[in-house]
Amino acid sequence: MSEFTADEMMTVAAARSLRDGAACFVGIGLPSTAANLARRTHAPNLVLIYESGTLGAKPDRLPLSIGDGVLADTADSVVSVPEIFNYWLQPGRIDIGFLGGAQVDRFGNINTTVIGDYANPEVRLPGAGGAPEIAASCREVLIVMRMSTRNFVDRLDFVTSVGYGGGRGDRERLGLRGRGPVKVITDLGVLEPDPQSCELTLTQLSPGVTVEQAQEAVGWPLKVVPEPTVQPEPTETELTVLHELMETR
Amino acid sequence: MSEFTADEMMTVAAARSLRDGAACFVGIGLPSTAANLARRTHAPNLVLIYESGTLGAKPDRLPLSIGDGVLADTADSVVSVPEIFNYWLQPGRIDIGFLGGAQVDRFGNINTTVIGDYANPEVRLPGAGGAPEIAASCREVLIVMRMSTRNFVDRLDFVTSVGYGGGRGDRERLGLRGRGPVKVITDLGVLEPDPQSCELTLTQLSPGVTVEQAQEAVGWPLKVVPEPTVQPEPTETELTVLHELMETR
Amino acid sequence: MVGVARILQLDEAIAELVHDGDVVALEGFTHLIPVAAGHEIIRQRKKDLTLVRMTPDIVYDQLIGAGCARKLIFSWGGNPGVGSLHRFRDAIENSWPVPLEIEEHSHAGMANRYAAGAAGLPFAVLRGYAGTDLPQHTSTIRMIECPFTGEELAAVPAINPDVGIIHAQQADRAGNVQMWGITGVQKETVLASTRSLVTVEEIVDELTPRPHSVVLPNWVVTAVAEVPGGARPSYAQGYYERDNAYYQQWDPIGRDREQFEKWLEAEVHGTARSAR
Amino acid sequence: MVGVARILQLDEAIAELVHDGDVVALEGFTHLIPVAAGHEIIRQRKKDLTLVRMTPDIVYDQLIGAGCARKLIFSWGGNPGVGSLHRFRDAIENSWPVPLEIEEHSHAGMANRYAAGAAGLPFAVLRGYAGTDLPQHTSTIRMIECPFTGEELAAVPAINPDVGIIHAQQADRAGNVQMWGITGVQKETVLASTRSLVTVEEIVDELTPRPHSVVLPNWVVTAVAEVPGGARPSYAQGYYERDNAYYQQWDPIGRDREQFEKWLEAEVHGTARSAR
């Protein structure tokens, strides 16, 4: 059994969530690493789409930004930024979108805009970017974030991207056409929306993590399925490919 | 002095109306012949734009359709049809648009849709094509049509494209941003809008044509400027280049 | 996901994708007109179609004359450089062989309707139609007010055909498509349609990126059929030229019902030429 | 007509085209960021600018830190892969060196605002913002009803900058521009702007058509300036790679007012490097 870090477990878990052949809207950082890992392991036909306008990029190294030249060089097509949002993301053609953020709440809503008051912020974050429409339009969303009471909060300071809003039925009411976040992948485990209430519920633990540890890392009383499973550890192959990938940066 | 036909005079007159460096939205037939003649004579930097999406085409022969391959082969850029209308025509970037039609009225409004009743037409014409928005958005419009009481009518059966509507001020009221038709070039002479009323007024005659002949060819009492000029005949060069051009078809 | 494009024979593809009563767009702007696919629709005697195209030309004249269509949505219908579409006129003026309803727009309006369809929006906004008689006769033209400036603009609804059909130069064996030269509104047609068919000049091992090319990845295309010459008498840049004489020759055939029916028997029903 | 593009020196072009108080967009999506042009704006001590950009990164941090801007219209502000823009945060959180008003959108909203600007429309429609807190804080997001389906959608006003500035790989001697690789929203930026400046890696005798390239004809460009390396530390495909280390190195400089002011003196005001 190899050694692996919590972040590696998180990346591998995210990669495993990507089924072969899916069209995936990829952000830079962990999502891009996970998508490229998936493409090199179980999902060789994963279609990588970056908001910079590259459709079907097949990078031979880990891109360093969403606009890395290797993406344009290896893409099936390069389109403009208005086109990528209007013709490709908005109609709901993309199977899976990745999101991260500074704060997430129990319904998978995300804040990437501001901590504190909008007019007098404690911390000004980067802002929305592509997230609101990725959250709205991708058929499914995966959220990837490290778990801590600072990030998993009872109440967002700002709703940048909508998960399930105030709960079941809100996406439909808002006219959001994708399913919403189907998984929140963290260093400590995986949360999934409760089929009835849409409240994020702990369904899987990372190896060696307890339910209590996960609950302590969340700023609301975290619900847990009756028998949370333990995620399979990263395989030798997954770790090897991941390490190779990280070296290409 | 060379022999020339009334149609050749009309083509040469249209070509002369195109100033060098202008961006010109070109339809097939006489407008395309005129634009290509101009580019080979006094206006080498004329920018030819075809609604098929070719920007800055420099055809070495007369294109046979607005989508002729020679246009794409020689263009500065080829864009999609939505783009040519939205990014290039609509904002008013194009200096000159050409229009023809089955019927024109005294305010330069044009019918290319139907003769007779819309629901039970006598003659069903091709329809609008690019004309309504060319008429609305080009900085200036040139209309080219043979003069006859069948074509120059008191009342259109259908308004496909707006010239000056019901007269002065109507373009502004309708929010049309181009100046409207600045010339109607015919086989018998040239009409221009009266600066006050915008009513089309005979300002130039083709060589050998009388004011009476022109007036008889128009289905309304045609106004005439006090001293209509006679258009200079096609020069030897214009005719030679025009004949060469026609042979390339 | 529509799934990944399957490579089919043309007749299989039309049989599977086009159903009686469908809204069908066969697009092509002078270049790359999917004529063979249109003939296969006639051959399979599809009917009650709502045909959509910016520039219906002779293949639409043929579809209409063969009685496949109950409605035409268009912006310019003619035989370019030649004259009228006589089957189209006979249908409108005399309801022969069946009545033809029309819905007509300008090119700008149609292009925006496809663009809205491709973008997953219910409508598009444009500066168009103001002062013309089109809005009186076309219920799919309405006015909309800019919520910022109060300005009045035209609105047109999205077009989302049941089936979009185009012709391209190449596909690879995985069903990715590449076309180049004048590509009109074909990308939008495929993206706006529920199902799509791309006929291609040839299937190649690898698509080489080209200037001014449009690539449609296989996950937005339903089916690809290899149909060399499938755009004739229009042209396929890099493959063959436009058969300008044919457009002239069509005029007397289209002008006369009997001649047209002979043509239909001989050139479409009597041959499977364009089926492979 | 804006007239045909003139080929100018960068300092002349900025002096002529950018005025205090202007709305200025320097666009570039990771690739081809017009950094040298931004530095020249700082060098010429332009002020009260409304800066527009989807992805303000370090050159916008520098412009803001230098006090050139009174307002920023944007959708994602950060040092990609590194972290915050500290000059931007200092301006928003502490009004240093001058207060900075912000107007923030999503990428989809900004892209559509530029597209509407390029299309000569007063606004654009998109599926966006629903359920988010953005409309509460951004008055340029409103709702609009589809006149056909009654559906509610978001509307955003066009962006039409006084000056749009981009960097491209090449121009020819007549001022026609070609860029390739990831070209973001740069075509729209130029087409939406009243005046435009394109800095280029090189001026060539002839532009060779390339796959995925965008060509801007000289009659929609106001000025072209040859500025080799003008996109550094971002990259210019076919010319040089992104200087990823520089983005890291910027973090401690941007974090500290004194360090930043030293940088400003030494690297911008103390040099005319990027002026030629």
Side-chain angles (χ1 to χ4, degrees):
Chain A
M1 189 76 54
S2 303
E3 297 277 312
F4 60 91
T5 67
D7 276 10
E8 284 170 347
M9 181 71 247
M10 190 158 63
T11 305
V12 166
R16 287 174 184 164
S17 305
L18 302 173
R19 62 186 172 284
D20 197 20
C24 183
F25 208 84
V26 186
I28 216 62
L30 193 144
S32 181
T33 309
N36 280 283
L37 173 58
R39 211 173 65 79
R40 279 170 176 69
T41 51
H42 68 283
N45 299 307
L46 195 68
V47 179
L48 308 190
I49 298 162
Y50 289 80
E51 66 189 12
S52 56
T54 57
L55 290 166
K58 291 164 273 295
D60 57 4
R61 58 176 174 79
L62 210 52
L64 284 161
S65 72
I66 48 158
D68 194 310
V70 72
L71 300 175
D73 280 343
T74 62
D76 293 330
S77 188
V78 182
V79 300
S80 73
V81 164
E83 180 175 329
I84 201 84
F85 282 99
N86 289 348
Y87 281 6
W88 299 86
L89 178 62
Q90 180 168 269
R93 289 178 214 292
I94 313 285
D95 296 297
I96 302 174
F98 269 111
L99 292 175
Q103 295 180 332
V104 63
D105 71 12
R106 77 184 71 193
F107 289 112
N109 304 300
I110 293 175
N111 174 16
T112 56
T113 301
V114 72
I115 306 288
D117 181 58
Y118 186 78
N120 292 295
E122 271 167 59
V123 184
R124 174 64 225 194
L125 302 166
E133 287 77 23
I134 293 171
S137 297
C138 287
R139 293 193 173 104
E140 297 183 350
V141 167
L142 298 176
I143 298 174
V144 187
M145 277 170 72
R146 289 189 196 88
M147 234 174 181
S148 80
T149 51
R150 211 166 50 91
N151 296 347
F152 283 65
V153 297
D154 188 43
R155 202 183 153 73
L156 300 183
D157 289 328
F158 191 101
V159 178
T160 314
S161 308
V162 177
Y164 296 101
R168 190 186 172 84
D170 264 15
R171 288 187 69 85
E172 293 72 15
R173 191 181 53 77
L174 291 166
L176 309 181
R177 307 207 291 183
R179 244 179 93 187
V182 295
K183 273 189 192 176
V184 180
I185 298 165
T186 80
D187 49 342
L188 303 185
V190 174
L191 316 187
E192 294 177 67
D194 178 83
Q196 295 309 313
S197 68
C198 294
E199 181 170 336
L200 295 176
T201 306
L202 183 71
T203 57
Q204 289 185 67
L205 288 163
S206 293
V209 176
T210 65
V211 168
E212 291 67 33
Q213 284 173 317
Q215 286 180 317
E216 278 165 23
V218 172
W220 68 82
L222 176 64
K223 293 199 171 145
V224 183
V225 294
E227 292 186 19
T229 56
V230 175
Q231 297 195 78
E233 295 188 358
T235 65
E236 205 63 56
T237 309
E238 284 168 336
L239 281 177
T240 308
V241 174
L242 179 56
H243 293 153
E244 281 168 8
L245 205 52
M246 298 307 281
E247 275 160 24
T248 64
R249 286 191 305 184
Chain B
M1 188 79 53
S2 304
E3 298 276 311
F4 59 92
T5 66
D7 275 11
E8 284 170 347
M9 181 71 248
M10 190 160 63
T11 306
V12 167
R16 287 174 183 162
S17 305
L18 302 172
R19 63 185 172 285
D20 198 20
C24 184
F25 208 85
V26 185
I28 216 61
L30 194 145
S32 179
T33 309
N36 280 283
L37 174 59
R39 211 173 65 79
R40 279 169 176 71
T41 52
H42 68 282
N45 299 306
L46 194 68
V47 179
L48 306 191
I49 298 163
Y50 290 79
E51 66 189 12
S52 55
T54 57
L55 289 166
K58 290 165 275 292
D60 56 4
R61 58 174 175 80
L62 210 52
L64 283 161
S65 73
I66 49 160
D68 193 310
V70 73
L71 301 175
D73 279 343
T74 62
D76 293 330
S77 189
V78 182
V79 302
S80 73
V81 164
E83 180 175 328
I84 202 83
F85 282 99
N86 288 348
Y87 281 6
W88 299 87
L89 178 63
Q90 179 168 269
R93 287 178 217 291
I94 313 287
D95 295 298
I96 302 174
F98 269 111
L99 291 176
Q103 296 179 330
V104 64
D105 71 13
R106 78 185 70 193
F107 289 112
N109 305 300
I110 294 174
N111 174 17
T112 55
T113 300
V114 73
I115 305 289
D117 181 55
Y118 187 79
N120 292 295
E122 273 167 59
V123 184
R124 174 63 225 196
L125 302 165
E133 288 76 23
I134 292 171
S137 297
C138 287
R139 292 193 173 106
E140 298 183 351
V141 167
L142 299 176
I143 298 174
V144 187
M145 277 171 73
R146 288 189 196 87
M147 234 174 181
S148 81
T149 51
R150 211 167 49 92
N151 296 347
F152 283 65
V153 297
D154 188 44
R155 202 184 153 72
L156 300 182
D157 289 327
F158 191 100
V159 179
T160 314
S161 307
V162 177
Y164 295 101
R168 190 186 172 83
D170 264 15
R171 288 188 68 85
E172 294 70 16
R173 190 180 55 73
L174 291 167
L176 310 181
R177 306 205 291 183
R179 246 179 94 189
V182 295
K183 274 189 193 175
V184 180
I185 297 164
T186 80
D187 48 344
L188 303 186
V190 174
L191 316 187
E192 294 177 64
D194 177 83
Q196 296 309 313
S197 68
C198 294
E199 182 171 334
L200 294 177
T201 307
L202 183 71
T203 57
Q204 289 184 68
L205 288 162
S206 294
V209 176
T210 65
V211 167
E212 291 67 32
Q213 284 174 317
Q215 286 180 316
E216 277 165 26
V218 171
W220 68 82
L222 177 64
K223 294 199 172 146
V224 183
V225 294
E227 293 185 20
T229 56
V230 175
Q231 295 195 78
E233 296 189 357
T235 65
E236 206 63 59
T237 310
E238 284 168 337
L239 281 178
T240 309
V241 174
L242 179 57
H243 294 154
E244 282 169 8
L245 206 50
M246 298 307 282
E247 276 159 24
T248 64
R249 285 192 306 183
Chain C
M1 257 172 80
V2 289
V4 170
R6 284 166 303 139
I7 298 185
L8 300 178
Q9 299 294 330
L10 177 57
D11 52 358
E12 298 176 307
I14 295 294
E16 181 183 323
L17 299 182
V18 181
H19 313 132
D20 290 351
D22 274 356
V23 177
V24 184
L26 297 95
E27 271 295 347
F29 210 85
T30 307
H31 182 212
L32 293 175
I33 298 169
V35 177
H39 289 176
E40 185 59 31
I41 290 173
I42 298 175
R43 195 174 288 116
Q44 295 190 15
R45 302 182 194 274
K46 305 288 183 186
K47 57 181 196 297
D48 291 327
L49 303 179
T50 292
L51 293 177
V52 189
R53 189 161 162 214
M54 292 183 65
T55 53
D57 65 352
I58 63 183
V59 65
Y60 269 48
D61 208 31
Q62 294 160 352
L63 282 155
I64 290 165
C68 299
R70 53 163 291 276
K71 182 173 178 182
L72 177 68
I73 301 175
F74 75 109
S75 40
W76 191 91
N79 184 345
V82 179
S84 287
L85 297 177
H86 297 284
R87 295 296 92 230
F88 164 62
R89 282 182 55 178
D90 204 9
I92 292 189
E93 296 168 12
N94 311 306
S95 297
W96 191 93
V98 290
L100 184 72
E101 188 188 339
I102 57 170
E103 176 180 325
E104 70 180 303
H105 279 264
S106 66
H107 278 353
M110 284 294 284
N112 275 293
R113 295 187 67 185
Y114 278 118
L121 290 174
F123 73 108
V125 175
L126 70 151
R127 295 187 183 280
Y129 303 107
T132 76
D133 286 343
L134 283 159
Q136 286 173 42
H137 297 279
T138 303
S139 63
T140 47
I141 301 169
R142 300 207 182 142
M143 299 307 285
I144 192 165
E145 196 178 283
C146 171
F148 300 98
T149 65
E151 202 177 344
E152 290 277 330
L153 295 138
V156 288
I159 291 176
N160 290 104
D162 295 308
V163 198
I165 302 178
I166 65 167
H167 187 76
Q169 282 98 337
Q170 298 179 337
D172 66 17
R173 294 182 199 289
N176 299 295
V177 169
Q178 183 169 239
M179 55 188 158
W180 62 89
I182 289 166
T183 53
V185 73
Q186 284 103 301
K187 178 191 272 195
E188 287 76 11
T189 301
V190 167
L191 294 181
S193 297
T194 308
R195 302 182 292 281
S196 59
L197 166 63
V198 184
T199 58
V200 296
E201 286 301 319
E202 59 171 338
I203 292 177
V204 297
D205 288 330
E206 199 170 354
L207 300 176
T208 308
R210 283 170 175 270
H212 316 313
S213 78
V214 168
V215 171
L216 291 167
N218 60 7
W219 51 280
V220 295
V221 173
T222 314
V224 167
E226 191 176 33
V227 187
R232 291 184 193 279
S234 81
Y235 73 106
Q237 196 141 1
Y239 289 81
Y240 45 88
E241 299 285 318
R242 189 168 188 262
D243 184 355
N244 295 299
Y246 190 89
Y247 286 79
Q248 300 280 353
Q249 290 156 16
W250 180 252
D251 191 71
I253 302 171
R255 222 176 252 279
D256 183 89
R257 289 181 188 173
E258 235 173 88
Q259 283 233 41
F260 170 72
E261 297 209 306
K262 270 188 209 154
W263 174 87
L264 204 57
E265 272 319 304
E267 300 292 323
V268 182
H269 292 304
T271 168
R273 185 187 60 87
S274 51
R276 289 290 178 278
Chain D
M1 259 173 78
V2 292
V4 171
R6 284 167 301 140
I7 297 183
L8 300 177
Q9 299 294 330
L10 177 58
D11 51 0
E12 298 175 306
I14 295 294
E16 182 183 324
L17 299 181
V18 181
H19 312 131
D20 291 350
D22 274 354
V23 177
V24 184
L26 296 95
E27 271 296 348
F29 210 86
T30 308
H31 182 212
L32 294 174
I33 298 169
V35 177
H39 289 176
E40 186 59 32
I41 290 173
I42 298 175
R43 195 174 288 117
Q44 295 190 17
R45 301 183 194 273
K46 305 288 182 186
K47 57 181 197 298
D48 292 327
L49 303 178
T50 292
L51 292 176
V52 189
R53 189 161 162 213
M54 291 183 64
T55 52
D57 66 350
I58 63 184
V59 65
Y60 268 49
D61 208 31
Q62 294 160 351
L63 282 155
I64 290 164
C68 299
R70 55 163 289 277
K71 182 172 178 183
L72 178 69
I73 301 175
F74 75 109
S75 40
W76 191 90
N79 184 345
V82 179
S84 288
L85 297 177
H86 297 284
R87 295 297 90 229
F88 165 62
R89 283 182 53 177
D90 205 8
I92 292 190
E93 295 168 11
N94 312 304
S95 298
W96 192 93
V98 290
L100 183 72
E101 189 188 338
I102 57 169
E103 176 180 326
E104 70 181 304
H105 279 265
S106 67
H107 277 353
M110 284 294 284
N112 276 292
R113 296 187 66 184
Y114 277 117
L121 290 174
F123 73 107
V125 175
L126 69 153
R127 294 188 183 280
Y129 302 109
T132 77
D133 287 344
L134 282 159
Q136 285 172 42
H137 297 279
T138 302
S139 62
T140 47
I141 302 169
R142 301 207 181 142
M143 298 309 283
I144 192 165
E145 195 178 283
C146 172
F148 300 97
T149 64
E151 203 179 343
E152 290 276 330
L153 295 138
V156 289
I159 290 176
N160 290 104
D162 296 308
V163 198
I165 302 177
I166 65 166
H167 187 76
Q169 281 99 337
Q170 297 179 339
D172 66 17
R173 294 182 198 289
N176 298 295
V177 168
Q178 183 169 239
M179 54 187 160
W180 62 87
I182 288 165
T183 53
V185 74
Q186 284 103 301
K187 177 191 272 195
E188 286 78 9
T189 301
V190 167
L191 295 182
S193 297
T194 309
R195 302 181 293 280
S196 59
L197 166 63
V198 184
T199 59
V200 296
E201 285 302 318
E202 59 172 338
I203 292 176
V204 298
D205 288 330
E206 199 170 354
L207 299 176
T208 308
R210 283 168 175 271
H212 315 313
S213 78
V214 168
V215 171
L216 290 167
N218 60 8
W219 52 280
V220 295
V221 173
T222 314
V224 167
E226 190 176 34
V227 186
R232 290 186 193 278
S234 82
Y235 74 106
Q237 197 141 1
Y239 288 82
Y240 45 87
E241 299 284 317
R242 190 169 188 263
D243 184 355
N244 294 299
Y246 191 89
Y247 286 79
Q248 299 280 354
Q249 288 156 17
W250 179 253
D251 191 72
I253 301 170
R255 219 177 254 280
D256 183 87
R257 290 181 187 173
E258 236 174 88
Q259 283 232 43
F260 171 73
E261 297 209 305
K262 270 188 209 154
W263 173 87
L264 203 57
E265 272 319 305
E267 300 292 324
V268 182
H269 293 304
T271 168
R273 187 188 57 88
S274 50
R276 288 292 178 276

